[in-house]
Amino acid sequence: MAGHGDMHYPLHKSVANFVLSVLVVLPSLLIARKFIADAKHLPPSAFSSPASPPDIDLTAVAAAAADATGGGNPEWWWRVVAWGVRRPIGCVCALFALNVDVLFWVISLLQRSTWLIDPYWTFIPPLILEFYSAHPAASTCAPRARLVRVVLLLWSARLTHSYLRREQWRWGWREDWRFSDMRRQYGRHWWWLSFPLVYVFQHVLLVGLTLPLYAVHASASPLSPLDLLAASLALTGIVTAAVADTQLHAFMTNNDRLRAAGKPSVLLLDSGIWRYSRHPNYFGEQLFWWALALWGWNAGMGWTVVGTVVNSLCMVAVTVLVEKRMRGKEERREMFEAYCRRTSMWVPWFAGKQGKVE
């Protein structure tokens, strides 16, 4: 759940932040478009398998491209393009560093809120997929690529809807509660600590998690039963997270109504899918990302699972943090401890004998 916010958030601020969220990604889109268009003018020697690029003379390649196009771009740009056609992941890292690490960070300093990174968690993976797909050195199995695109877009749509519903359809209303806590904890040092702790960290997570998308667009191996298994697991993860988030939203909405009526709120959600897992939304997300990792493995690039491993380790830490927060309220502590004893942490499983808390 998110951190601080104003229930009377003005409409004009929401509209302004929506426009900002649309415009802020334009630098990356324009640079990527120019890169892809100009890469077509490179000589054949510039292209090879991006998985193992041989050494080439970038200066010679840049000079040849400049001559072929009549010198419309400076030589340094052609060197960048020649470097980029062999290193797609490097291109993604460079664009992310400029557009998210730096620009998002500057905006957060001006707005005193890191909210912008939250909705872009749902948009960045599809943008990265489109870049890998359009990359001039891409080589893929078309049915697998289409399958991955459909599943990823479903994931993005699900998470976007969940985010906007949670924020009550207000753009930039509030930042994640974990960042709000860190803002209070680090005080006057937060302005510079937010750069590594929020943006560089998200860089590592998102580029790492999307490494299997690179693998899918760097291997033309034929479709196999593992691809269908990965799609099934990914869809299961999406549905599980959607059900969990919907039940959590209904629980929180009902508590809002109870408080508005002057009645005590319900302290714990332990019904529906939450009866079988304390964090079914986290489980659904992890299942989706591990399904994506399976695609990377099946494409012959097992090393692309490294980002998924890092993300799962981070999710363990987040789970510990969330449960510590749940125990923070004295009136809920005993009830939550009993819930923990009978309910699986992540993987949905049959509840213990104690049954539902009244």
Side-chain angles (χ1 to χ4, degrees):
M1 287 170 281
H4 68 270
D6 182 359
M7 291 300 291
H8 304 289
Y9 192 69
L11 177 61
H12 73 272
K13 285 188 177 181
S14 187
V15 172
N17 281 328
F18 172 76
V19 172
L20 172 65
S21 65
V22 172
L23 296 179
V24 74
V25 75
L26 286 181
S28 284
L29 295 179
L30 294 174
I31 293 172
R33 180 181 178 184
K34 180 170 176 56
F35 163 78
I36 292 166
D38 287 349
K40 299 175 183 178
H41 299 294
L42 292 177
S45 61
F47 292 87
S48 67
S49 169
S52 55
D55 294 329
I56 62 168
D57 187 344
L58 290 181
T59 301
V61 170
D67 290 341
T69 58
N73 293 310
E75 183 177 320
W76 68 263
W77 171 250
W78 288 115
R79 289 176 62 86
V80 169
V81 175
W83 172 84
V85 296
R86 295 166 174 273
R87 294 170 178 82
I89 298 173
C91 287
V92 168
C93 285
L95 291 172
F96 201 113
L98 292 171
N99 208 148
V100 179
D101 295 357
V102 175
L103 184 55
F104 279 31
W105 175 63
V106 171
I107 292 172
S108 76
L109 296 180
L110 295 174
Q111 293 192 327
R112 296 186 178 184
S113 174
T114 60
W115 73 270
L116 191 56
I117 196 63
D118 277 354
Y120 264 93
W121 247 93
T122 74
F123 303 145
I124 288 174
L127 290 173
I128 290 176
L129 177 141
E130 293 304 326
F131 179 81
Y132 286 143
S133 175
H135 192 277
S139 173
T140 189
C141 166
R144 177 185 296 122
R146 285 194 291 268
L147 190 59
V148 171
R149 175 178 277 104
V150 168
V151 168
L152 187 66
L153 289 177
L154 287 174
W155 167 85
S156 180
R158 197 284 308 172
L159 191 59
T160 300
H161 176 263
S162 178
Y163 166 76
L164 292 175
R165 179 178 59 185
R166 185 191 72 192
E167 299 303 297
Q168 301 178 33
W169 307 95
R170 287 173 279 194
W171 287 85
W173 176 33
R174 53 189 179 177
E175 64 183 1
D176 188 283
W177 63 267
R178 287 160 290 198
F179 298 146
S180 293
D181 286 353
M182 284 190 278
R183 183 183 298 277
R184 288 189 292 269
Q185 178 183 353
Y186 295 114
R188 62 189 180 89
H189 296 291
W190 178 242
W191 75 269
W192 66 269
L193 282 172
S194 62
F195 181 76
L197 294 180
V198 178
Y199 300 102
V200 175
F201 184 61
Q202 303 299 321
H203 182 152
V204 172
L205 284 182
L206 281 166
V207 173
L209 280 170
T210 54
L211 287 175
L213 300 179
Y214 162 75
V216 167
H217 294 92
S219 171
S221 60
L223 203 67
S224 75
L226 277 181
D227 291 295
L228 302 181
L229 175 61
S232 299
L233 292 174
L235 290 173
T236 300
I238 292 169
V239 171
T240 301
V243 170
D245 279 348
T246 297
Q247 292 178 354
L248 178 60
H249 177 72
F251 171 79
M252 295 177 67
T253 300
N254 181 60
N255 270 345
D256 287 341
R257 293 194 190 101
L258 291 173
R259 283 189 289 267
K263 299 178 181 180
S265 59
V266 181
L267 294 176
L268 186 69
L269 172 59
D270 64 340
S271 59
I273 196 172
W274 295 81
R275 176 180 174 84
Y276 305 100
S277 168
R278 305 202 300 271
H279 305 278
N281 48 349
Y282 294 172
F283 170 75
E285 278 289 294
Q286 289 299 303
L287 184 59
F288 170 81
W289 289 116
W290 277 101
L292 201 66
L294 180 58
W295 264 310
W297 185 280
N298 193 38
M301 300 183 191
W303 58 269
T304 59
V305 307
V306 64
T308 315
V309 172
V310 171
N311 183 63
S312 291
L313 293 175
C314 291
M315 189 54 67
V316 171
V318 168
T319 301
V320 171
L321 188 62
V322 169
E323 297 206 339
K324 180 180 179 182
R325 198 177 192 222
M326 291 291 291
R327 292 181 175 92
K329 289 189 175 182
E330 186 174 352
E331 66 273 20
R332 182 172 56 193
R333 188 177 303 139
E334 184 177 348
M335 184 182 296
F336 184 71
E337 292 290 356
Y339 178 57
C340 290
R341 286 193 295 271
R342 70 175 186 275
T343 309
S344 169
M345 178 179 285
W346 274 4
V347 181
W349 195 247
F350 298 103
K353 295 181 179 179
Q354 295 181 35
K356 187 180 185 298
V357 170
E358 299 297 336

